[in-house]
Amino acid sequence: MTSREERIADFIEAFRVEPGSTVKLSKDFDPTYRGTVRKKKKGRQLLAEGIDILSEYQTRLYAQHSHGVLVVLQALDAGGKDGTIRHVMTGVNPQGVDVHGFKVPSSAELDHDYLWRYQRQLPRRGAITIFNRSHYEEVLVVRVHPELLERQNLPHSARGKGMWRRRYHEINEWERTLSRNGTKIVKLFLNLSNEEQRTRFLRRIDLPDHNWKFSSADVREREYWDDYQRAFSKMLSNTSTEWAPWYVIPADRKWYARIAAAAVIANALIEIDPQFPTIDKDAHNALLDVKKTLEAQSPEGAAPDPFEAG
Ligand code: ATP
Ligand code: MG
């Protein structure tokens, strides 16, 4: 590992949820945290570094073609998911990235098991897919609003006592299968404070060209703040695993959240360490034969191999 890669690995350690630990969000993670990166200017340099790594490694990920990367993005309303996606993914080849947003499930989606619609959008080998909201809504909004569960038409055996524990377990096992078979899962929770959410909603009201982003449903949802904090805490405690750990990103400062998110995704690519495929001796000799043929076709006055000639 070069020092750049080591710096990234050290930087993200503070955000990682240790598998098996019990998280209480309000006590364990500070939305205003910024460690040693006190200044936006220093942050910009780090972000550029993270983005460089993303871009370099993405090409290799595509060339190696054995792994896909799934980025799971969860946040409270106004947590900054969209801006994070936009900033982090500048510099990567758009052909290798898909973004899927998950809204309230349709009736066709509700006619299947709860993981079905997420399974269908998983990354291909060589690609990065971002889930803007994800299967974790199934243990967040659905847990906070039990009436949503009613719409899922579940058999009796999938409900009742222990159902959330079972869902955590099912999600962990699903992710384990995916990760063993080449899908690297990167889970980011953008952790916003109550006061910063209030400020961002007001900003959306105060700035005319942000009015379109304002949703009164989001303000109503804010009344369930404590329930969400509990649901997020339980989710983090039960679904941070060795194969797919959660990272809690301090989200009160947008610039910091973007650096942190880019660093965690970059680190996942570093861990995969994809390589350009190499070819064996026979294939190499075959290339040299073709090279000779092409060189023999050089017109009058041209170098046999203009590339080699510089
Ligand atoms: P933005 O507001 O930035 O456009 P968003 O992700 O908030 O993006 P919305 O259309 O505002 O999109 O909200 C989507 C809604 O769908 C959220 O309230 C979310 O909780 C809800 N949702 C997502 N998945 C599920 C699910 N499985 N069951 C029920 N509701 C869900
Ligand atoms: Mg919304």
Side-chain angles (χ1 to χ4, degrees):
M1 258 206 256
T2 67
S3 62
R4 186 182 64 165
E5 276 78 8
E6 278 166 10
R7 251 200 320 279
I8 299 262
D10 285 349
F11 175 59
I12 67 167
E13 219 18 64
F15 315 132
R16 187 169 187 267
V17 177
E18 193 52 34
S21 62
T22 303
V23 174
K24 187 162 188 260
L25 211 42
S26 57
K27 178 170 73 61
D28 297 328
F29 290 98
D30 174 7
T32 65
Y33 174 88
R34 55 188 159 144
T36 54
V37 189
R38 316 301 297 182
K39 296 263 164 48
K40 198 168 171 175
K41 188 155 169 250
K42 182 171 174 207
R44 231 180 263 135
Q45 191 189 324
L46 260 169
L47 182 61
E49 216 166 76
I51 288 172
D52 278 353
I53 292 185
L54 283 177
S55 150
E56 272 172 54
Y57 279 72
Q58 184 205 16
T59 312
R60 287 202 257 142
L61 183 79
Y62 186 77
Q64 177 174 294
H65 228 79
S66 60
H67 289 74
V69 176
L70 172 64
V71 179
V72 167
L73 204 50
Q74 287 291 155
L76 281 156
D77 293 311
K81 291 183 278 116
D82 290 348
T84 303
I85 295 171
R86 221 172 32 246
H87 277 77
V88 169
M89 289 300 153
T90 57
V92 302
N93 178 353
Q95 295 217 60
V97 184
D98 296 304
V99 182
H100 291 286
F102 293 98
K103 314 267 178 188
V104 179
S106 67
S107 57
E109 288 169 339
L110 289 169
D111 263 350
H112 296 267
D113 73 89
Y114 72 94
L115 290 174
W116 181 77
R117 66 172 182 158
Y118 309 99
Q119 174 81 36
R120 299 174 80 209
Q121 307 295 350
L122 289 170
R124 295 160 284 135
R125 297 191 199 283
I128 301 174
T129 292
I130 302 176
F131 279 3
N132 182 352
R133 299 186 188 269
S134 69
H135 48 297
Y136 284 99
E137 292 291 326
E138 306 291 341
V139 293
L140 292 167
V141 68
V142 180
R143 187 163 191 175
V144 171
H145 296 286
E147 66 277 13
L148 293 171
L149 204 55
E150 292 302 321
R151 298 183 57 221
Q152 293 197 354
N153 302 312
L154 296 172
H156 187 68
S157 58
R159 303 201 45 168
K161 195 166 171 300
M163 83 155 286
W164 300 112
R165 203 167 27 82
R166 283 198 303 277
R167 274 201 179 186
Y168 295 138
H169 179 71
E170 286 157 5
I171 289 173
N172 288 342
E173 288 306 309
W174 183 60
E175 291 181 351
R176 188 191 339 232
T177 305
L178 297 176
S179 67
R180 278 185 179 153
N181 288 279
T183 303
K184 179 91 175 166
I185 303 169
V186 184
K187 301 191 297 204
L188 304 174
F189 167 54
L190 303 181
N191 186 28
L192 189 70
S193 71
N194 183 287
E195 179 57 7
E196 180 61 22
Q197 188 192 56
R198 190 177 74 94
T199 309
R200 288 187 190 176
F201 284 163
L202 284 167
R203 185 166 178 272
R204 289 177 180 184
I205 295 172
D206 295 341
L207 297 177
D209 59 354
H210 284 64
N211 286 171
W212 64 275
K213 276 198 205 172
F214 179 78
S215 143
S216 45
D218 289 355
V219 176
R220 280 197 299 280
E221 209 55 13
R222 205 174 133 73
E223 289 170 23
Y224 296 92
W225 181 271
D226 291 341
D227 294 339
Y228 273 107
Q229 292 289 301
R230 264 193 297 278
F232 275 115
S233 297
K234 287 184 178 148
M235 173 197 83
L236 294 167
S237 306
N238 287 284
T239 61
S240 198
T241 56
E242 291 297 343
W243 54 93
W246 272 106
Y247 289 86
V248 178
I249 305 297
D252 272 17
R253 288 185 186 80
K254 287 182 179 171
W255 63 267
Y256 189 84
R258 286 162 192 170
I259 305 166
V264 176
I265 302 169
N267 186 66
L269 285 161
I270 293 167
E271 283 178 357
I272 299 173
D273 195 21
Q275 303 294 328
F276 290 115
T278 51
I279 56 174
D280 63 19
K281 203 152 190 315
D282 287 350
H284 183 68
N285 287 336
L287 282 185
L288 292 180
D289 285 345
V290 178
K291 180 174 158 80
K292 274 200 201 107
T293 311
L294 287 170
E295 283 175 349
Q297 293 170 7
S298 66
E300 191 70 34
D305 182 342
F307 177 75
E308 209 169 48

